[in-house]
């Protein structure tokens, strides 16, 4: 169980993660809000031939939520539900059901990250993740920044759909 001081930091990290992903934020739409209402066809659209589409950005964000969870919990590699890592070519099937399944995967990975963050202690927050120069606290904050970075890309791609 986290100490009172760790709880304050954990609560702030949860706030950052939430505002970047699915909670109301001062900066405008969050990642999940930007995905809301998009059809599979729109998510799969590739305005530039050699660039990622919204669907691929969505799975990339899911993967990095998984990677951060794995780093802070010490889980072994290879447990992400999709084969591969980092970038996943999409769509393999352009249906609204396939698009929904990949958005559900993003939600599941977000919830797993929040559950892992809830268990962090003072000592954990200041500990470096294995093989990294960054602390767990900084890594979790970076996960929120990662969502916002890609949310901005998705916002631009959505504008190109008009």
């Amino acid at each position: 169980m986290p100490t009172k001081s760790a709880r304050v930091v954990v609560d702030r990290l949860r706030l950052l993660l939430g505002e970047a992903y699915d909670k109301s934020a001062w900066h405008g739409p969050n990642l999940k809000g930007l995905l809301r209402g998009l059809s599979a066809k729109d998510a799969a659209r590739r305005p530039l031939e050699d660039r990622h589409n919204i669907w691929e950005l969505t799975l990339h964000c899911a993967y990095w939520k998984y990677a951060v969870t794995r780093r802070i919990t010490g889980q072994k590699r290879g447990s992400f539900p999709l084969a591969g890592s980092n970038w996943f070519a999409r769509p393999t099937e352009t249906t609204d059901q396939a698009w929904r399944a990949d958005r559900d995967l993003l939600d599941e990975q977000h919830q797993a990250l929040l559950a892992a963050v809830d268990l962090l202690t003072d000592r954990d927050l200041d500990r470096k993740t294995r093989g990294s120069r960054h602390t767990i606290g900084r890594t979790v904050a970076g996960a929120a920044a990662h969502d916002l970075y890609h949310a901005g890309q998705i916002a631009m791609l959505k504008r190109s759909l008009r």
Side-chain angles (χ1 to χ4, degrees), residues 27-49:
H27 57 75
N30 53 45
L31 179 59
K32 189 171 181 177
L34 285 163
L35 299 176
R36 192 172 295 118
L38 275 174
S39 68
K41 180 183 172 191
D42 287 344
R45 186 167 173 259
R46 196 176 307 277
L48 296 171
E49 188 177 317

Side-chain angles (χ1 to χ4, degrees), residues 66-132:
Y66 152 80
V68 170
T69 302
R70 184 178 48 76
R71 287 177 183 182
I72 67 177
T73 62
Q75 291 174 353
K76 292 182 180 177
R77 287 179 165 218
S79 58
F80 190 67
L82 302 177
S85 63
N86 202 13
W87 292 105
F88 303 85
R90 282 298 192 268
T92 54
E93 172 188 345
T94 311
T95 65
D96 287 328
Q97 292 80 12
W99 172 226
R100 166 48 82 193
D102 284 342
R103 282 182 294 140
D104 287 346
L105 177 60
L106 177 64
D107 278 336
E108 291 161 11
Q109 296 306 312
H110 183 74
Q111 292 308 313
L113 177 56
L114 291 177
V117 167
D118 280 340
L119 300 176
L120 295 174
T121 65
D122 283 319
R123 190 170 163 205
D124 293 331
L125 290 164
D126 293 330
R127 183 171 45 86
K128 292 182 180 175
T129 61
R130 189 174 4 153
S132 175

Side-chain angles (χ1 to χ4, degrees), residues 1-66:
M1 181 65 117
T3 63
K4 188 174 182 177
S5 61
R7 186 80 248 154
V8 169
V9 175
V10 164
D11 287 347
R12 287 184 182 153
L13 290 171
R14 284 183 64 89
L15 179 68
L16 286 172
L17 290 166
E19 287 183 356
Y21 181 65
D22 64 351
K23 302 292 185 226
S24 179
W26 69 269
H27 57 75
N30 53 45
L31 179 59
K32 189 171 181 177
L34 285 163
L35 299 176
R36 192 172 295 118
L38 275 174
S39 68
K41 180 183 172 191
D42 287 344
R45 186 167 173 259
R46 196 176 307 277
L48 296 171
E49 188 177 317
D50 59 343
R51 297 290 183 248
H52 295 291
N53 59 31
I54 291 172
W55 201 325
E56 290 168 342
L57 289 166
T58 300
L59 284 177
H60 172 74
C61 288
Y63 177 80
W64 279 100
K65 287 175 182 293
Y66 152 80

